Amino acid sequence: MEILRCEGVRKVYGPRENPVVALDRIDLSVEKGEFVAITGASGSGKSTLLHILGGVDKPTGGRVVIEGIDISAMNRTQAAIFRRRKVGLVYQFYNLIPTLTVRKNILMPLLLDKRKPNPAYFDQIVEALGIADKLDFLPHQLSGGQQQRAAIARSLIYRPALLLADEPTGNLDRKNSREIVDLLKLSNRNFHQTILLITHDETIALEADRIVTIEDGRIISDLSRNPAGQRDNIL
């Protein structure tokens, strides 16, 4: 079942007489439960695409449809509410609130909506991510890898339609990077979470089921793993 569709998505910055085209007619479809890596060199447009998919930014043209809803037509308030409820965001910088415990940071999306958490699901997430014993700690008392685990838990607590991860291992050493990628794969497998991972690291990209490569704001390849473990171009 298709969960995300981009139709001719464009993003242009700057004045009309000297425009900078960040995205140039992106067409993309993602099925529920897919783990997709989006790669490209710095400045290729991959982070711009993620921000538009997450409703953080609006496209200059085209449409972004998530679970049948055109988010590109939403105003800022509508997009913020939709993002909080339907899109989990994980960044290179963990963006945890320093004065709140790990528990409250994880529960923040639910607290903002005045919704009660499902205790069993909460316990399942924190146990799977290995931070069940860190819930009463403040973020500064955690290692970088533990803070990123808390950020992933926060992104999953609302059972989002999409989890968007923008260079989530960029601040971590090799060991912690490996663990975070494994945890993303775990959430994809155990929670059936649809994941789009932005990375410039080819080794990390190869962990995904599908690799979409962007260059100069355009998709230049779309590779999907077949059952034999090989990759076929599906562009």
Side-chain angles (χ1 to χ4, degrees), residues 3 62 88 231:
I3 199 168
R231 290 188 175 271

Side-chain angles (χ1 to χ4, degrees), residues 99-104 106 122 131-142:
T99 56
L100 297 182
T101 64
V102 170
R103 182 189 304 274
K104 287 187 176 178
I106 293 170
F122 177 85
I131 52 172
D133 61 340
K134 306 295 183 184
L135 298 178
D136 295 322
F137 285 48
L138 293 173
H140 77 270
Q141 297 174 300
L142 274 58

Side-chain angles (χ1 to χ4, degrees), residues 13-85:
Y13 296 102
R16 183 176 299 178
E17 60 273 13
N18 190 27
V20 175
V21 180
L23 295 175
D24 189 6
R25 295 179 178 86
I26 294 288
D27 293 315
L28 179 67
S29 176
V30 175
E31 296 291 308
K32 183 175 177 59
E34 277 195 283
F35 184 180
V36 181
I38 298 178
T39 68
S42 178
S44 62
K46 58 187 188 297
S47 290
T48 300
L49 177 60
L50 180 137
H51 292 151
I52 288 175
L53 298 181
V56 177
D57 200 359
K58 291 178 71 69
T60 306
R63 298 202 312 155
V64 175
V65 179
I66 298 176
E67 288 193 328
I69 299 172
D70 184 358
I71 68 167
S72 47
M74 293 179 174
N75 61 36
R76 183 173 296 181
T77 300
Q78 291 170 330
I81 293 171
F82 184 88
R83 181 169 62 250
R84 188 170 73 232
R85 295 176 178 174

